[in-house]
Amino acid sequence: MRDNDRVTSAIRQPATPGSPQFSTSLEQKDSPVVPPRLIATDLDGTLLRDDKSVSPRTVAALAAAEEAGIEVFFVTGRPARWMDVVSDHVHGHGLAICGNGAAVVDLHGGPGAHRFVKVRELARPNALDAVQMLRDAAPGTVYAVEQTYGFHQEPAYPKLHMEVPDLLAPAEELLAPDAPAADEPVLKVLAHHPELDPDAFLSLARLAVGTRANVTRSSPSALLEISGPDVSKASTLALCCAERGISHEQVVAFGDMPNDIEMLTWAGRSYAMGNAHPDVLAAASGQTIANNEDGVAVVIEQLLADHF
């Protein structure tokens, strides 16, 4: 989801290796040089510039990768309905991983006509437990609920998103078995606190929620996302790769915020953006330049020069 045009998503915090060295080359610490078969890239703060555009250089790099036989997956916290920002740049399979791994979406239909290929929902009992646990641990927390086709929120939840909620009600009512949209899968619950430090809120939430759900953040504010247990960008990307006979060593991943950490540590090669969160810089095996300087394109160009 987006807060001030940033995206958050839900993963567990893995242990991270030492800080990577800045490099636009393919020399990575303890990483074999394996020809890539799949590129997995986050969008906001990574592939997209801050104005949410895809630069001509990046468009050309993505097309060249596909032409060389490398699959490109957009892996984002955005819901499917916000994927119009890259719908003109879909090649080949046309699939994207949305909602931090909660959905695999076919973008070929264009904006408003996306097809859900896979849904990994957050069970309502788990969501209700997480809401109550976090209410007890952090009084003042307010919630929103992201479903496959709808977005609902509590009345006190701030206007952080570029849309009008379909329903306004307490989270317990939005997540009830007899809620108006109860037949529609829940992808994520968003939790916002008006006062807590974002990283402190994340640590507190993970302790409070435990194994009932995955919790992470990528917003500059105290906005968290809560997804199903074991649902993350990494776990869904691993499923998509297994279906294609692609090993993690053949994956190159890009990201900038804590919601990307599991994906970056799972991939054979990974790059933190120059503008990345410190934890991401520590987790990735390499580093490129910032999103506004086309850091993803720089690495793709080098990949193609070295392997194709």
Side-chain angles (χ1 to χ4, degrees):
M1 298 299 294
R2 188 160 42 189
D3 170 18
N4 296 330
D5 291 327
R6 299 303 297 269
V7 171
T8 66
S9 75
I11 59 171
R12 285 196 294 272
Q13 182 76 32
T16 56
S19 298
Q21 300 297 313
F22 174 80
S23 175
T24 56
S25 78
L26 298 184
E27 294 184 4
Q28 309 240 322
K29 297 182 300 179
D30 302 320
S31 192
V33 179
V34 177
R37 291 185 57 193
L38 187 143
I39 290 168
T41 179
D42 174 50
L43 294 181
D44 296 84
T46 300
L47 187 80
L48 304 180
R49 291 186 168 184
D50 287 348
D51 64 3
K52 305 307 171 188
S53 68
V54 185
S55 74
R57 181 178 183 179
T58 298
V59 170
L62 295 175
E66 292 275 4
E67 180 66 24
I70 304 173
E71 294 196 60
V72 176
F73 264 75
F74 301 126
V75 188
T76 178
R78 287 177 175 238
R81 62 186 176 277
W82 289 357
M83 293 301 290
D84 57 304
V85 68
V86 290
S87 60
D88 290 339
H89 313 299
V90 173
H91 302 275
H93 57 79
L95 299 179
I97 295 173
C98 297
N100 311 314
V104 180
V105 182
D106 186 345
L107 302 181
H108 278 135
H114 301 139
R115 179 175 65 89
F116 284 88
V117 176
K118 186 190 302 290
V119 173
R120 305 180 68 198
E121 66 183 290
L122 170 61
R124 286 174 182 265
N126 291 60
L128 285 165
D129 285 349
V131 165
Q132 189 57 60
M133 291 170 174
L134 197 48
R135 279 204 201 281
D136 293 342
T141 301
V142 289
Y143 297 94
V145 177
E146 179 74 57
Q147 297 183 245
T148 44
Y149 294 101
F151 176 76
H152 322 297
Q153 68 178 63
E154 294 188 323
Y157 187 85
K159 187 174 177 57
L160 300 174
H161 314 289
M162 299 173 60
E163 59 187 309
V164 177
D166 300 297
L167 296 172
L168 284 175
E172 290 80 0
E173 293 182 18
L174 296 173
L175 294 167
D178 59 351
D183 59 341
E184 186 181 332
V186 174
L187 300 184
K188 297 179 294 184
V189 170
L190 293 95
H192 181 269
H193 199 281
E195 298 174 357
L196 290 177
D197 171 80
D199 283 323
F201 189 32
L202 175 60
S203 297
L204 183 153
R206 284 176 169 159
L207 287 173
V209 173
T211 61
R212 294 298 288 162
N214 259 346
V215 185
T216 197
R217 80 169 190 91
S218 69
S219 168
S221 71
L223 175 66
L224 307 180
E225 289 189 37
I226 303 168
S227 297
D230 300 320
V231 174
S232 70
K233 290 185 176 186
S235 61
T236 301
L237 178 62
L239 291 174
C240 292
C241 287
E243 292 170 354
R244 289 160 173 76
I246 297 174
S247 69
H248 72 95
E249 292 92 351
Q250 297 171 307
V251 176
V252 179
F254 299 87
D256 74 308
M257 289 295 278
N259 59 316
D260 297 311
I261 289 175
E262 279 193 348
M263 179 174 72
L264 297 177
T265 56
W266 177 81
R269 275 176 276 182
S270 60
Y271 293 85
M273 308 305 294
N275 50 287
H277 186 285
D279 290 351
V280 177
L281 293 170
S285 59
Q287 182 178 335
T288 184
I289 55 180
N291 63 315
N292 283 334
E293 300 173 276
D294 302 332
V296 172
V298 168
V299 174
I300 292 176
E301 291 165 358
Q302 187 67 55
L303 284 168
L304 296 176
D306 285 7
H307 291 288
F308 298 92

